[in-house]
Amino acid sequence: VVDVATFDGVAVISHDVPVQLAGGASQVVWSAPAAFIEPGPDRFAWVSDRTGHTPDNRFFFGRLKDLPLGKGDLDVEITGSAESGVRVSLLSRGYSYFTRLTCDRPGLVTDTNYIDLRDGERAVITTGPLPSEVSPRDLRITTWGSRQHPAR
């Protein structure tokens, strides 16, 4: 599925694109006339696989410095323990770009380096056991522009 939307959450178009590719393949599978999608720095294309075999991806219609990023907000809930690892549940309000779990000490291992979240989207980041002398309250979720989101 290819969705084009604005960073403010307005849907522009949505196309179901039936494609099968070999593992590791890379090729153009969708395009649209510029007049149809009106490309600009206020919008993006989001590509997702309904089967879940391929991770979601996005394409920006502008240079990174021209995009209206940094306006997204996150609801964050951290559960678990330092010994067994934690589960960080996220709910995005607005587009949250380059969302990641950070810690000021080395050794934090997470199941993903970063994620992008669209408005209303939920995600979970998990960790292994935390580095020594680190507790779940020492973890921070940041998005583009080093904005920190407190956990509850």
Side-chain angles (χ1 to χ4, degrees), residues 74 76 78 86 88 90 98-104 108 110 125 127 130 134-143 146-152:
L74 293 167
V76 179
I78 298 178
V86 299
V88 182
L90 305 169
F98 202 65
T99 303
R100 60 208 177 278
L101 182 62
T102 64
C103 178
D104 63 357
L108 179 66
T110 64
I125 298 174
T127 74
L130 300 180
V134 173
S135 76
R137 70 178 173 277
D138 296 324
L139 302 176
R140 300 287 178 261
I141 288 287
T142 60
T143 56
S146 297
R147 186 168 176 195
Q148 292 193 2
H149 303 274
R152 48 182 179 108

Side-chain angles (χ1 to χ4, degrees), residues 17-23 25 27 29:
V17 183
V19 175
Q20 290 186 340
L21 297 175
Q27 70 185 58
V29 296

